[in-house]
Amino acid sequence: RWKQQDEGYAELLGTDHTQALGSKKHSEIYGNSKNRSSDQKLAALQEAIRLVGMAPPNAAICFCDGSAIPNPGPCGTGVVVHIPIPGKAVRLRVSASRDLGYGSNNIGELLGPAMCLAVIEVTSKAMNFTFTGPIYIYSDSVVTINALMYHSMPTANKLITLAVKDYLFASPNPISCYWVAGHADIEDNELADEKAKDGALLSASTA
């Protein structure tokens, strides 16, 4: 689970990913969503598959993203969650979006991990069980991963960041967060992006 480290909230559970990168930055290995080569896209997809493969069979697997149209503007959060079902060797796949009103892309991304936990709780209760396994969360937002997993604090959205950290820290489930590349043909990450845009469009329609 998340553990206190010095004055911070969490120890990084995704150290394997950090060690794999070595001294190179994400952009050096995987490029970015605007100029990623085919080789970099393949490397990003393979790394995402490796990271998801680290999750044990009893883990919930989550992808989350945020969107604002325009940025800043009406914003939303989107998630795709795979929840293990007791007594079955499969995970239930649930996708959801949430309108957040006026805000930014970063706000939608920061709230993504919290929405993952909320979807797991609501879905498991609706199916009459309590999910007690580990939760693996994947996001393509470096800002979100740095803010939630390290001592990094963004210059904006500080209260939202602290609220999400408190919410995750209060969870009885072990939680791991990992960065994955955006727009690299990672199916669930692309769907989370679409759901986040749906949330932003809903915010615009109800403004």
Side-chain angles (χ1 to χ4, degrees):
R1 62 173 278 97
W2 285 45
K3 299 178 182 178
Q4 286 185 320
Q5 180 185 22
D6 301 326
E7 288 100 34
Y9 278 83
E11 68 175 350
L12 178 64
L13 299 181
T15 46
D16 185 52
H17 180 48
T18 304
Q19 291 169 351
L21 292 177
S23 60
K24 293 186 177 181
K25 298 179 180 179
H26 291 135
S27 58
E28 292 181 50
I29 300 176
Y30 307 120
N32 61 57
S33 59
K34 295 181 179 179
N35 66 3
R36 186 173 290 122
S37 69
S38 58
D39 287 343
Q40 288 173 326
K41 180 179 288 189
L42 178 59
L45 177 59
Q46 290 174 336
E47 176 65 359
I49 293 171
R50 185 186 74 85
L51 291 172
V52 172
M54 291 168 54
N58 67 329
I61 295 174
C62 313
F63 287 82
C64 56
D65 207 348
S67 179
I69 307 172
N71 188 27
C75 69
T77 296
V79 302
V80 179
V81 178
H82 297 258
I83 309 171
I85 305 301
K88 297 184 179 180
V90 296
R91 291 183 175 96
L92 174 68
R93 187 189 196 207
V94 180
S95 60
S97 58
R98 175 71 184 183
D99 55 310
L100 300 173
Y102 186 88
S104 67
N105 182 67
N106 283 347
I107 288 176
E109 291 173 335
L110 282 167
L111 288 170
M115 185 173 173
C116 289
L117 267 64
V119 168
I120 291 171
E121 180 179 2
V122 170
T123 303
S124 59
K125 282 185 177 180
M127 299 183 69
N128 298 315
F129 75 94
T130 299
F131 179 72
T132 59
I135 300 172
Y136 280 59
I137 299 174
Y138 303 89
S139 170
D140 62 19
S141 169
V142 174
V143 171
T144 296
I145 298 299
N146 285 345
L148 299 182
M149 298 301 291
Y150 299 100
H151 298 296
S152 172
M153 179 63 68
T155 55
N157 309 317
K158 291 183 179 179
L159 289 179
I160 292 175
T161 300
L162 290 172
V164 172
K165 290 173 77 168
D166 282 345
Y167 183 59
L168 298 183
F169 186 69
S171 172
N173 303 78
I175 298 174
S176 303
C177 293
Y178 297 93
W179 177 86
V180 294
H183 304 294
D185 295 335
I186 303 167
E187 180 181 352
D188 284 341
N189 195 56
E190 296 297 325
L191 180 55
D193 178 66
E194 292 177 14
K195 289 295 180 179
K197 290 176 180 176
D198 288 343
L201 292 174
L202 183 57
S203 291
S205 68
T206 57

